[in-house]
């Protein structure tokens, strides 16, 4: 059976995981780390670099790099780096493609399907842009789910019968989000989950602009 990978496409860093041996397992990248910087760059010989290699280039040749482009998802803004023009969707697809390759190397098989998380405040345009990025990366995006929902699912995975009220705090590289959630088991569709999103959202002013 072909596995479905879960992807956290983050503002600063991204990662992917697979359900293995009864629990989620983070997948290491080519450098042995489970965290891949959400950075892309174009080298002097016109190669696309993603992750740690691109992050290193950011120090010496920032004009050839792009980062925090997740903030541009769902917009028409384009970014020029190294003589090439990219949309946020295209840049995100390069990160997703790198994660897909890491997952295939780890699992020893092709990966086609993925679930990607997005911030709870993402609108339809941003969610569609994320799905398009996955498709450009060669992934069949089975579902787009909210990041706090993913956190709550992981937290309650081993205690599915319990009803809980949670505060999910996401202290990310680009934004700070706090979500209040009520979690419970579905019962013949008679009860619907409740959640309150965007109780608190603060953009970190220390975060650099997308290019330089």
């Amino acid at each position: 059976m072909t596995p479905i990978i879960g992807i956290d496409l983050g503002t600063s860093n991204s990662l992917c995981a697979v359900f293995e041996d009864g629990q989620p397992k983070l997948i290491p990248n080519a450098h042995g780390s489970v965290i891949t910087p959400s950075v892309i760059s174009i080298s002097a010989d016109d190669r696309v670099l993603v992750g740690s290699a691109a992050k290193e280039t950011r120090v010496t040749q920032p004009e050839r790099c792009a980062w925090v482009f997740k903030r541009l998802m769902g917009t028409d803004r384009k970014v020029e780096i190294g003589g090439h023009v990219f949309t946020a969707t295209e840049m995100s697809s390069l990160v997703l493609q790198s994660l897909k390759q890491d997952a295939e190397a780890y699992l020893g098989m092709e990966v086609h399907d993925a679930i990607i998380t997005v911030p709870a405040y993402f609108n339809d345009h941003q969610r569609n842009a994320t799905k398009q990025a996955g498709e450009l990366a060669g992934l069949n995006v089975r579902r787009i789910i909210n990041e706090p929902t993913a956190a709550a699912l992981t937290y309650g995975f081993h205690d599915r019968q319990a009803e809980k009220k949670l505060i999910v705090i996401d202290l990310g590289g680009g934004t700070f989000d706090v979500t209040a959630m009520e979690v419970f088991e579905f019962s013949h569709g008679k009860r619907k989950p409740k959640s309150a999103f965007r109780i608190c959202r603060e953009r970190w002013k220390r975060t650099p602009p997308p290019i330089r």
Side-chain angles (χ1 to χ4, degrees), residues 8-212:
D8 177 6
L9 183 62
T11 304
S12 299
N13 298 290
S14 298
L15 53 82
C16 62
V18 66
F19 198 73
E20 192 174 71
D21 298 327
Q23 61 183 355
K25 177 71 178 293
L26 295 178
I27 296 175
N29 57 28
H31 302 285
S33 173
V34 297
I35 295 176
T36 296
S38 301
V39 183
I40 70 165
S41 70
I42 304 296
S43 66
D45 56 355
D46 220 31
R47 291 183 299 115
V48 176
L49 303 177
V50 179
S52 298
K55 188 175 181 179
E56 292 175 1
T57 306
R58 191 176 76 177
V59 178
T60 57
Q61 296 177 300
E63 71 281 359
R64 288 187 166 273
C65 300
W67 62 96
V68 297
F69 40 80
K70 180 177 177 178
R71 292 182 177 176
L72 305 179
M73 293 295 279
T75 71
D76 294 328
R77 181 175 172 183
K78 297 181 179 180
V79 176
E80 182 177 355
I81 55 173
H84 297 265
V85 178
F86 298 93
T87 64
T89 298
E90 292 169 335
M91 291 185 284
S92 294
S93 74
L94 295 173
V95 176
L96 291 172
Q97 187 178 60
S98 177
L99 295 174
K100 178 179 183 290
Q101 292 170 351
D102 291 332
E104 290 176 335
Y106 174 80
L107 296 169
M109 65 179 73
E110 291 186 352
V111 172
H112 302 288
D113 299 326
I115 294 172
I116 304 176
T117 62
V118 296
Y121 58 82
F122 258 27
N123 59 35
D124 287 342
H125 292 297
Q126 292 167 308
R127 292 169 190 269
N128 288 334
T130 302
K131 184 177 181 180
Q132 291 171 10
E135 293 170 348
L136 286 174
L139 291 167
N140 173 32
V141 182
R142 299 283 293 271
R143 183 166 295 184
I144 298 289
I145 66 173
N146 294 329
E147 292 166 355
T149 301
L153 286 171
T154 301
Y155 176 81
F157 179 77
H158 298 292
D159 191 12
R160 301 186 188 185
Q161 301 303 318
E163 295 191 2
K164 305 172 184 178
K165 292 182 179 179
L166 306 176
I167 293 291
V168 179
I169 300 175
D170 184 358
L171 184 59
T175 53
F176 172 40
D177 300 284
V178 180
T179 303
M181 304 186 72
E182 182 180 359
V183 182
F184 46 77
E185 184 75 8
F186 282 104
S187 177
H188 304 294
K190 295 179 180 179
R191 200 170 179 189
K192 297 181 180 180
K194 302 175 182 177
S195 60
F197 298 116
R198 288 191 67 186
I199 292 178
C200 174
R201 180 189 176 199
E202 177 67 29
R203 175 165 288 182
W204 300 118
K205 295 180 180 178
R206 62 176 173 77
T207 306
I211 303 178
R212 57 181 68 87

